[in-house]
Amino acid sequence: MLNNSFDALVGDHAAKNDMINDLANRCPQLKSQINEAVCNLREKILSCDPLHLLRFAQDHMLLNKLGINSEFQQLGFESIAIDRFTEYVQSIYVSGSLHVVVQSDNEDDEFNSILKDYIDLFRLLHEYYFSLAAEWIVENKYEKSLIDNIFEAQLMYGVRGKRYQFVEKEYFAALLAPHDEIFNQLFGLSADDIIEGIAKLQYALSQGRFGALNKLGQLFEEFQATAEENLELCIEKQRPVGESLVSKAFGIELNNVICVTGWSEQFVKELSYECGQETSFFSHDEYAGWPAIDLPIQKRPFIKIDEQYYCFDYYSFVDNFYRAIQKTVTRLLPNYRWSDKQQNASEKMVANIFEKILPGCRIYQNNFYPQNKSLKNMAENDLMVVYYDVIIVVEVKAGSFVWTAPFTDFDSHIRSYKTLVEKADSQCKRTFDYLSSKKTAVLYNEDQSEKAQIPMSSIQDIYTMSVTMDNIGELAAKAEKLGFLNLKCNTISVAVDDLMVYQNYFDSPLKFLHFLKQRRMATGNETLALNDELDHLGMYIHHNCYALSDDDPGHPTMKFFLGYREDLDTYFGQLYHPELNPQKPIQTIPKYFEQMLDWLNASKLNNKIRVANYLLDFSSDAKEDLNNKIEYTLQRQLVTHHSSAISASGRSDTDLRYTCFVHLEGAEDFSAQEKNDYTLSTMLWNGEKDRVQISLKYSKDGKIRDITYTYLTSSDIPSERKSMLYEEGKERAKQRIQQFQMVNHRKIGRNELCPCGSGKKYKKCCGR
């Protein structure tokens, strides 16, 4: 990406090298400027009242979010800097001693000056990233592709908001509940107390002020309506409510952690820093106090001021709170085995999500199987999901991702990616190979007792997935494109945050599995690189089979797509506010296709996933074409009382080749032999290698009652009947030509598609 940026700025090779050298030479100067800006900003911030400045910073962040439904809409330096201003201000306060604070009549002017300085610092940082990258290129410190990865990861390191608001409670509930006993022991709180407090503080920091303002407006309207009757009585009656609403809307009541949540002081204290308590932020060897490195607020989200505990930054709170609690508990009780409970809770959480996405699936957890045919040497798999004739092999990685900034220590980031992505991929591949090598795959418990037998002859497809508890960044959405990872199979790497989104998006198991098919294909497309997991879902909604490559194999071009998740951001953001009546972005699927999918979802057909995948692979035009022909055929059968056949033909691998038999209750139907003969004769005449046969049965009121699907190839044609079937196909083609001429009363153009249905031009088919 970085090198592409240089290429875009300067086309000439020599000019590009000159620009890179100039940028590299600026690196020491920029670093000095940033250090000076950090020192000046620190002095200004520590001279201000912390509660006033933090409240100012939070207000600007909230106002900055108005009208923003997707982070894709928020691309400017200033907008991103305003979002991150609060976390930096709090990090300065907890890592430095307050100066004597003198109240000023021009406090807002001072605060605006500080905010401007921070935005300028933010710009300098981004200049420094390019300059440092250029320096590394000149020094050959890393390969150019790795430099791209480092600085893309650094830019994404500054992105906040890992989960949508509507899934926060589910996330915390699943991961904190197993630690209920230790929470009671240490803090006198249950896991439910902590989870409910999170929800309350989440609302207070995001919607609380606006909610209070709305209620103030309603109170004023009520006051106007009743004040004329008894002004003094009305004022006294509404005074307590009004004062509370004013405090919430314009004060810091909603930032007081204990007041909002009801948590014990022992708990909140351990998750708070006092002013000047944190010492490492300004002790960094090279980047002391820079907003680009890991901040104190990420470790403890609360700040203690005047014996009260406050929280001002929503994202630092929700993004890091689970890991902050984990670190707090293990700091207080080093021998507590948090990771063991965490792994079990994570696997159970992922299993529950799959049970909701694929109702009725069989899930096997903590599975063991022999390596080298010996139970003495067993390999482990976290989860195996079996849904009809599909298996999803899942590895769950509950470990935490590295906290440090990528550009300061990318080796640690590489180790984290290898642990959370590469290792999971290797484990998935091992399990995949075991399943694929067996006629009957046997799963065992850890004690070597048999757990389950899976007849692999009934399995048509195996997917592999790795699920991380930490949202490990945008690079995971294109993990297979990262040169420093050695991936062995097309494992789909997702964070549990995204899996929860899929759970709430897909209301059809078959549509989810069709998306999973496209998502796996995207991992195999070497030229498709998306920066966010939900860009995959957005592209699927807009383009269906989005992973199909249209590149010249000899000259592949890497493709980056932006903004495909924008509609999804809007929808999922509004789910936290059901009163907004959020509209889900969906693919437009014609009526009869939707009916077929609904019937398949409810059916017990073992091959229904294959049937659904075939139908959903249709392009929009092809879906509409078949839908219209089904509708026409059903109407026609009310008159003819005889079933009809619909055909599509073509010879390339991407062409549809099907014969669809439509039968309305009460009409005369084709026999099974007639259907096979019809399909095979069409295949022979058209010179096709395979063809799909679909039979649809409808009730008199147009409701679908049955679907059968058969995949036929040239090997299904009996040799002794080949000549007869060919002549039958030829005769049917002749009838279609005659019918076309009778209806259209004109000659057939030589370059038109032949009316016989072969998919070829007339001059190369029946026009010969």
Side-chain angles (χ1 to χ4, degrees), residues 252-279:
I252 54 174
E253 182 179 331
L254 293 175
N255 301 101
N256 190 308
V257 178
I258 293 177
C259 289
V260 171
T261 63
W263 290 334
S264 64
E265 185 172 358
Q266 306 101 288
F267 179 63
V268 179
K269 179 182 178 181
E270 296 297 341
L271 289 158
S272 305
Y273 282 123
E274 297 185 44
C275 290
Q277 181 182 354
E278 204 279 338
T279 58

PDB file of all heavy atoms in Angstrom, residues 252-279:
ATOM      1  N   ILE A 252     -21.119  16.291  34.919  1.00  0.00           N
ATOM      2  CA  ILE A 252     -20.297  15.075  34.824  1.00  0.00           C
ATOM      3  C   ILE A 252     -20.929  13.907  35.576  1.00  0.00           C
ATOM      4  O   ILE A 252     -20.254  12.916  35.864  1.00  0.00           O
ATOM      5  CB  ILE A 252     -18.877  15.342  35.364  1.00  0.00           C
ATOM      6  CG1 ILE A 252     -18.932  15.911  36.778  1.00  0.00           C
ATOM      7  CG2 ILE A 252     -18.112  16.258  34.429  1.00  0.00           C
ATOM      8  CD1 ILE A 252     -17.562  16.054  37.426  1.00  0.00           C
ATOM      9  N   GLU A 253     -22.218  14.008  35.866  1.00  0.00           N
ATOM     10  CA  GLU A 253     -22.895  12.929  36.581  1.00  0.00           C
ATOM     11  C   GLU A 253     -22.801  11.608  35.821  1.00  0.00           C
ATOM     12  O   GLU A 253     -22.600  10.545  36.413  1.00  0.00           O
ATOM     13  CB  GLU A 253     -24.368  13.296  36.808  1.00  0.00           C
ATOM     14  CG  GLU A 253     -25.142  12.253  37.592  1.00  0.00           C
ATOM     15  CD  GLU A 253     -26.591  12.659  37.830  1.00  0.00           C
ATOM     16  OE1 GLU A 253     -26.868  13.880  37.910  1.00  0.00           O
ATOM     17  OE2 GLU A 253     -27.447  11.765  37.943  1.00  0.00           O
ATOM     18  N   LEU A 254     -22.935  11.648  34.499  1.00  0.00           N
ATOM     19  CA  LEU A 254     -22.907  10.426  33.697  1.00  0.00           C
ATOM     20  C   LEU A 254     -21.500   9.864  33.517  1.00  0.00           C
ATOM     21  O   LEU A 254     -21.340   8.771  32.966  1.00  0.00           O
ATOM     22  CB  LEU A 254     -23.518  10.688  32.317  1.00  0.00           C
ATOM     23  CG  LEU A 254     -25.013  10.997  32.300  1.00  0.00           C
ATOM     24  CD1 LEU A 254     -25.473  11.360  30.897  1.00  0.00           C
ATOM     25  CD2 LEU A 254     -25.811   9.809  32.826  1.00  0.00           C
ATOM     26  N   ASN A 255     -20.493  10.589  33.966  1.00  0.00           N
ATOM     27  CA  ASN A 255     -19.115  10.106  33.889  1.00  0.00           C
ATOM     28  C   ASN A 255     -18.644   9.483  35.200  1.00  0.00           C
ATOM     29  O   ASN A 255     -17.567   8.894  35.253  1.00  0.00           O
ATOM     30  CB  ASN A 255     -18.165  11.246  33.515  1.00  0.00           C
ATOM     31  CG  ASN A 255     -18.523  11.889  32.185  1.00  0.00           C
ATOM     32  OD1 ASN A 255     -19.124  12.954  32.142  1.00  0.00           O
ATOM     33  ND2 ASN A 255     -18.175  11.223  31.100  1.00  0.00           N
ATOM     34  N   ASN A 256     -19.448   9.625  36.248  1.00  0.00           N
ATOM     35  CA  ASN A 256     -19.090   9.089  37.554  1.00  0.00           C
ATOM     36  C   ASN A 256     -19.364   7.585  37.557  1.00  0.00           C
ATOM     37  O   ASN A 256     -20.507   7.136  37.586  1.00  0.00           O
ATOM     38  CB  ASN A 256     -19.892   9.787  38.653  1.00  0.00           C
ATOM     39  CG  ASN A 256     -19.383   9.443  40.033  1.00  0.00           C
ATOM     40  OD1 ASN A 256     -19.232   8.278  40.377  1.00  0.00           O
ATOM     41  ND2 ASN A 256     -19.122  10.467  40.831  1.00  0.00           N
ATOM     42  N   VAL A 257     -18.311   6.805  37.534  1.00  0.00           N
ATOM     43  CA  VAL A 257     -18.430   5.365  37.286  1.00  0.00           C
ATOM     44  C   VAL A 257     -19.255   4.665  38.354  1.00  0.00           C
ATOM     45  O   VAL A 257     -20.164   3.879  38.047  1.00  0.00           O
ATOM     46  CB  VAL A 257     -17.026   4.722  37.175  1.00  0.00           C
ATOM     47  CG1 VAL A 257     -17.157   3.211  36.969  1.00  0.00           C
ATOM     48  CG2 VAL A 257     -16.241   5.347  36.035  1.00  0.00           C
ATOM     49  N   ILE A 258     -18.972   4.929  39.609  1.00  0.00           N
ATOM     50  CA  ILE A 258     -19.682   4.232  40.682  1.00  0.00           C
ATOM     51  C   ILE A 258     -21.151   4.636  40.716  1.00  0.00           C
ATOM     52  O   ILE A 258     -22.042   3.796  40.897  1.00  0.00           O
ATOM     53  CB  ILE A 258     -18.991   4.488  42.040  1.00  0.00           C
ATOM     54  CG1 ILE A 258     -17.616   3.819  42.057  1.00  0.00           C
ATOM     55  CG2 ILE A 258     -19.851   3.968  43.198  1.00  0.00           C
ATOM     56  CD1 ILE A 258     -16.808   4.057  43.317  1.00  0.00           C
ATOM     57  N   CYS A 259     -21.437   5.931  40.522  1.00  0.00           N
ATOM     58  CA  CYS A 259     -22.836   6.387  40.512  1.00  0.00           C
ATOM     59  C   CYS A 259     -23.627   5.749  39.375  1.00  0.00           C
ATOM     60  O   CYS A 259     -24.782   5.367  39.551  1.00  0.00           O
ATOM     61  CB  CYS A 259     -22.891   7.911  40.390  1.00  0.00           C
ATOM     62  SG  CYS A 259     -22.356   8.778  41.872  1.00  0.00           S
ATOM     63  N   VAL A 260     -23.019   5.625  38.215  1.00  0.00           N
ATOM     64  CA  VAL A 260     -23.721   5.082  37.048  1.00  0.00           C
ATOM     65  C   VAL A 260     -23.902   3.570  37.165  1.00  0.00           C
ATOM     66  O   VAL A 260     -24.964   3.028  36.881  1.00  0.00           O
ATOM     67  CB  VAL A 260     -22.962   5.427  35.741  1.00  0.00           C
ATOM     68  CG1 VAL A 260     -23.561   4.668  34.555  1.00  0.00           C
ATOM     69  CG2 VAL A 260     -23.017   6.929  35.479  1.00  0.00           C
ATOM     70  N   THR A 261     -22.846   2.868  37.598  1.00  0.00           N
ATOM     71  CA  THR A 261     -22.849   1.401  37.532  1.00  0.00           C
ATOM     72  C   THR A 261     -23.284   0.710  38.811  1.00  0.00           C
ATOM     73  O   THR A 261     -23.794  -0.414  38.773  1.00  0.00           O
ATOM     74  CB  THR A 261     -21.438   0.887  37.192  1.00  0.00           C
ATOM     75  OG1 THR A 261     -20.544   1.262  38.268  1.00  0.00           O
ATOM     76  CG2 THR A 261     -20.941   1.482  35.887  1.00  0.00           C
ATOM     77  N   GLY A 262     -23.052   1.356  39.957  1.00  0.00           N
ATOM     78  CA  GLY A 262     -23.316   0.688  41.238  1.00  0.00           C
ATOM     79  C   GLY A 262     -22.222  -0.296  41.624  1.00  0.00           C
ATOM     80  O   GLY A 262     -22.387  -1.086  42.561  1.00  0.00           O
ATOM     81  N   TRP A 263     -21.082  -0.282  40.927  1.00  0.00           N
ATOM     82  CA  TRP A 263     -19.976  -1.190  41.252  1.00  0.00           C
ATOM     83  C   TRP A 263     -19.331  -0.794  42.572  1.00  0.00           C
ATOM     84  O   TRP A 263     -19.408   0.370  43.014  1.00  0.00           O
ATOM     85  CB  TRP A 263     -18.908  -1.146  40.163  1.00  0.00           C
ATOM     86  CG  TRP A 263     -19.328  -1.777  38.864  1.00  0.00           C
ATOM     87  CD1 TRP A 263     -20.254  -2.759  38.682  1.00  0.00           C
ATOM     88  CD2 TRP A 263     -18.816  -1.471  37.563  1.00  0.00           C
ATOM     89  NE1 TRP A 263     -20.358  -3.088  37.358  1.00  0.00           N
ATOM     90  CE2 TRP A 263     -19.487  -2.320  36.638  1.00  0.00           C
ATOM     91  CE3 TRP A 263     -17.868  -0.582  37.075  1.00  0.00           C
ATOM     92  CZ2 TRP A 263     -19.228  -2.289  35.277  1.00  0.00           C
ATOM     93  CZ3 TRP A 263     -17.599  -0.551  35.719  1.00  0.00           C
ATOM     94  CH2 TRP A 263     -18.277  -1.400  34.828  1.00  0.00           C
ATOM     95  N   SER A 264     -18.638  -1.752  43.182  1.00  0.00           N
ATOM     96  CA  SER A 264     -17.918  -1.484  44.428  1.00  0.00           C
ATOM     97  C   SER A 264     -16.669  -0.665  44.145  1.00  0.00           C
ATOM     98  O   SER A 264     -16.097  -0.725  43.053  1.00  0.00           O
ATOM     99  CB  SER A 264     -17.515  -2.800  45.090  1.00  0.00           C
ATOM    100  OG  SER A 264     -16.596  -3.512  44.269  1.00  0.00           O
ATOM    101  N   GLU A 265     -16.221   0.087  45.164  1.00  0.00           N
ATOM    102  CA  GLU A 265     -15.030   0.912  44.980  1.00  0.00           C
ATOM    103  C   GLU A 265     -13.788   0.040  44.776  1.00  0.00           C
ATOM    104  O   GLU A 265     -12.876   0.428  44.033  1.00  0.00           O
ATOM    105  CB  GLU A 265     -14.817   1.837  46.180  1.00  0.00           C
ATOM    106  CG  GLU A 265     -13.651   2.789  45.977  1.00  0.00           C
ATOM    107  CD  GLU A 265     -13.530   3.852  47.055  1.00  0.00           C
ATOM    108  OE1 GLU A 265     -14.387   3.876  47.962  1.00  0.00           O
ATOM    109  OE2 GLU A 265     -12.581   4.660  46.983  1.00  0.00           O
ATOM    110  N   GLN A 266     -13.757  -1.168  45.430  1.00  0.00           N
ATOM    111  CA  GLN A 266     -12.595  -2.040  45.252  1.00  0.00           C
ATOM    112  C   GLN A 266     -12.385  -2.355  43.772  1.00  0.00           C
ATOM    113  O   GLN A 266     -11.257  -2.369  43.272  1.00  0.00           O
ATOM    114  CB  GLN A 266     -12.767  -3.361  46.009  1.00  0.00           C
ATOM    115  CG  GLN A 266     -13.080  -3.216  47.483  1.00  0.00           C
ATOM    116  CD  GLN A 266     -14.560  -3.436  47.735  1.00  0.00           C
ATOM    117  OE1 GLN A 266     -15.380  -2.573  47.379  1.00  0.00           O
ATOM    118  NE2 GLN A 266     -14.911  -4.560  48.359  1.00  0.00           N
ATOM    119  N   PHE A 267     -13.481  -2.617  43.070  1.00  0.00           N
ATOM    120  CA  PHE A 267     -13.411  -2.985  41.651  1.00  0.00           C
ATOM    121  C   PHE A 267     -12.971  -1.790  40.804  1.00  0.00           C
ATOM    122  O   PHE A 267     -12.041  -1.883  39.998  1.00  0.00           O
ATOM    123  CB  PHE A 267     -14.773  -3.495  41.194  1.00  0.00           C
ATOM    124  CG  PHE A 267     -14.846  -3.897  39.745  1.00  0.00           C
ATOM    125  CD1 PHE A 267     -14.080  -4.936  39.247  1.00  0.00           C
ATOM    126  CD2 PHE A 267     -15.701  -3.236  38.862  1.00  0.00           C
ATOM    127  CE1 PHE A 267     -14.149  -5.323  37.911  1.00  0.00           C
ATOM    128  CE2 PHE A 267     -15.780  -3.606  37.534  1.00  0.00           C
ATOM    129  CZ  PHE A 267     -15.001  -4.650  37.054  1.00  0.00           C
ATOM    130  N   VAL A 268     -13.621  -0.660  40.994  1.00  0.00           N
ATOM    131  CA  VAL A 268     -13.347   0.513  40.163  1.00  0.00           C
ATOM    132  C   VAL A 268     -11.941   1.051  40.414  1.00  0.00           C
ATOM    133  O   VAL A 268     -11.228   1.464  39.486  1.00  0.00           O
ATOM    134  CB  VAL A 268     -14.410   1.609  40.414  1.00  0.00           C
ATOM    135  CG1 VAL A 268     -14.109   2.850  39.575  1.00  0.00           C
ATOM    136  CG2 VAL A 268     -15.803   1.087  40.093  1.00  0.00           C
ATOM    137  N   LYS A 269     -11.518   0.992  41.677  1.00  0.00           N
ATOM    138  CA  LYS A 269     -10.186   1.498  42.026  1.00  0.00           C
ATOM    139  C   LYS A 269      -9.089   0.744  41.278  1.00  0.00           C
ATOM    140  O   LYS A 269      -8.123   1.354  40.786  1.00  0.00           O
ATOM    141  CB  LYS A 269      -9.971   1.370  43.533  1.00  0.00           C
ATOM    142  CG  LYS A 269      -8.595   1.846  44.006  1.00  0.00           C
ATOM    143  CD  LYS A 269      -8.444   1.648  45.509  1.00  0.00           C
ATOM    144  CE  LYS A 269      -7.049   2.076  45.970  1.00  0.00           C
ATOM    145  NZ  LYS A 269      -6.871   1.859  47.427  1.00  0.00           N
ATOM    146  N   GLU A 270      -9.236  -0.581  41.174  1.00  0.00           N
ATOM    147  CA  GLU A 270      -8.210  -1.388  40.509  1.00  0.00           C
ATOM    148  C   GLU A 270      -8.171  -1.166  39.002  1.00  0.00           C
ATOM    149  O   GLU A 270      -7.215  -1.537  38.338  1.00  0.00           O
ATOM    150  CB  GLU A 270      -8.437  -2.874  40.794  1.00  0.00           C
ATOM    151  CG  GLU A 270      -8.291  -3.261  42.251  1.00  0.00           C
ATOM    152  CD  GLU A 270      -6.881  -3.038  42.788  1.00  0.00           C
ATOM    153  OE1 GLU A 270      -5.944  -2.931  41.978  1.00  0.00           O
ATOM    154  OE2 GLU A 270      -6.724  -2.954  44.017  1.00  0.00           O
ATOM    155  N   LEU A 271      -9.215  -0.550  38.465  1.00  0.00           N
ATOM    156  CA  LEU A 271      -9.277  -0.265  37.030  1.00  0.00           C
ATOM    157  C   LEU A 271      -9.084   1.220  36.748  1.00  0.00           C
ATOM    158  O   LEU A 271      -9.411   1.700  35.664  1.00  0.00           O
ATOM    159  CB  LEU A 271     -10.613  -0.739  36.463  1.00  0.00           C
ATOM    160  CG  LEU A 271     -10.759  -2.268  36.392  1.00  0.00           C
ATOM    161  CD1 LEU A 271     -12.222  -2.672  36.361  1.00  0.00           C
ATOM    162  CD2 LEU A 271     -10.032  -2.808  35.170  1.00  0.00           C
ATOM    163  N   SER A 272      -8.523   1.935  37.732  1.00  0.00           N
ATOM    164  CA  SER A 272      -8.331   3.383  37.611  1.00  0.00           C
ATOM    165  C   SER A 272      -6.880   3.754  37.880  1.00  0.00           C
ATOM    166  O   SER A 272      -6.169   3.085  38.635  1.00  0.00           O
ATOM    167  CB  SER A 272      -9.216   4.128  38.618  1.00  0.00           C
ATOM    168  OG  SER A 272     -10.566   3.783  38.489  1.00  0.00           O
ATOM    169  N   TYR A 273      -6.458   4.842  37.255  1.00  0.00           N
ATOM    170  CA  TYR A 273      -5.210   5.505  37.601  1.00  0.00           C
ATOM    171  C   TYR A 273      -5.542   6.842  38.256  1.00  0.00           C
ATOM    172  O   TYR A 273      -6.479   7.532  37.842  1.00  0.00           O
ATOM    173  CB  TYR A 273      -4.360   5.785  36.365  1.00  0.00           C
ATOM    174  CG  TYR A 273      -3.597   4.608  35.805  1.00  0.00           C
ATOM    175  CD1 TYR A 273      -3.772   4.216  34.481  1.00  0.00           C
ATOM    176  CD2 TYR A 273      -2.664   3.932  36.583  1.00  0.00           C
ATOM    177  CE1 TYR A 273      -3.046   3.149  33.943  1.00  0.00           C
ATOM    178  CE2 TYR A 273      -1.943   2.858  36.048  1.00  0.00           C
ATOM    179  CZ  TYR A 273      -2.142   2.476  34.738  1.00  0.00           C
ATOM    180  OH  TYR A 273      -1.425   1.428  34.216  1.00  0.00           O
ATOM    181  N   GLU A 274      -4.719   7.220  39.240  1.00  0.00           N
ATOM    182  CA  GLU A 274      -4.783   8.590  39.745  1.00  0.00           C
ATOM    183  C   GLU A 274      -3.847   9.450  38.902  1.00  0.00           C
ATOM    184  O   GLU A 274      -2.994   8.941  38.168  1.00  0.00           O
ATOM    185  CB  GLU A 274      -4.352   8.624  41.212  1.00  0.00           C
ATOM    186  CG  GLU A 274      -5.255   7.845  42.142  1.00  0.00           C
ATOM    187  CD  GLU A 274      -4.860   8.011  43.599  1.00  0.00           C
ATOM    188  OE1 GLU A 274      -4.576   9.162  43.992  1.00  0.00           O
ATOM    189  OE2 GLU A 274      -4.831   7.003  44.322  1.00  0.00           O
ATOM    190  N   CYS A 275      -4.014  10.750  39.009  1.00  0.00           N
ATOM    191  CA  CYS A 275      -3.132  11.653  38.266  1.00  0.00           C
ATOM    192  C   CYS A 275      -1.684  11.422  38.710  1.00  0.00           C
ATOM    193  O   CYS A 275      -1.388  11.433  39.908  1.00  0.00           O
ATOM    194  CB  CYS A 275      -3.526  13.109  38.512  1.00  0.00           C
ATOM    195  SG  CYS A 275      -5.093  13.560  37.734  1.00  0.00           S
ATOM    196  N   GLY A 276      -0.807  11.183  37.738  1.00  0.00           N
ATOM    197  CA  GLY A 276       0.607  10.986  38.021  1.00  0.00           C
ATOM    198  C   GLY A 276       0.989   9.586  38.444  1.00  0.00           C
ATOM    199  O   GLY A 276       2.173   9.310  38.676  1.00  0.00           O
ATOM    200  N   GLN A 277       0.036   8.665  38.515  1.00  0.00           N
ATOM    201  CA  GLN A 277       0.330   7.312  39.021  1.00  0.00           C
ATOM    202  C   GLN A 277       1.062   6.444  38.002  1.00  0.00           C
ATOM    203  O   GLN A 277       1.917   5.633  38.355  1.00  0.00           O
ATOM    204  CB  GLN A 277      -0.970   6.624  39.446  1.00  0.00           C
ATOM    205  CG  GLN A 277      -0.781   5.228  40.011  1.00  0.00           C
ATOM    206  CD  GLN A 277      -2.098   4.552  40.372  1.00  0.00           C
ATOM    207  OE1 GLN A 277      -3.163   5.166  40.303  1.00  0.00           O
ATOM    208  NE2 GLN A 277      -2.028   3.286  40.769  1.00  0.00           N
ATOM    209  N   GLU A 278       0.756   6.608  36.716  1.00  0.00           N
ATOM    210  CA  GLU A 278       1.326   5.749  35.670  1.00  0.00           C
ATOM    211  C   GLU A 278       2.678   6.326  35.239  1.00  0.00           C
ATOM    212  O   GLU A 278       2.803   7.519  34.998  1.00  0.00           O
ATOM    213  CB  GLU A 278       0.363   5.692  34.477  1.00  0.00           C
ATOM    214  CG  GLU A 278       0.509   4.443  33.614  1.00  0.00           C
ATOM    215  CD  GLU A 278       1.661   4.536  32.636  1.00  0.00           C
ATOM    216  OE1 GLU A 278       2.088   5.653  32.317  1.00  0.00           O
ATOM    217  OE2 GLU A 278       2.122   3.479  32.181  1.00  0.00           O
ATOM    218  N   THR A 279       3.703   5.475  35.152  1.00  0.00           N
ATOM    219  CA  THR A 279       5.058   5.984  34.900  1.00  0.00           C
ATOM    220  C   THR A 279       5.666   5.541  33.566  1.00  0.00           C
ATOM    221  O   THR A 279       6.678   6.102  33.133  1.00  0.00           O
ATOM    222  CB  THR A 279       6.002   5.531  36.032  1.00  0.00           C
ATOM    223  OG1 THR A 279       5.989   4.095  36.110  1.00  0.00           O
ATOM    224  CG2 THR A 279       5.564   6.119  37.369  1.00  0.00           C
TER     225      THR A 279
END
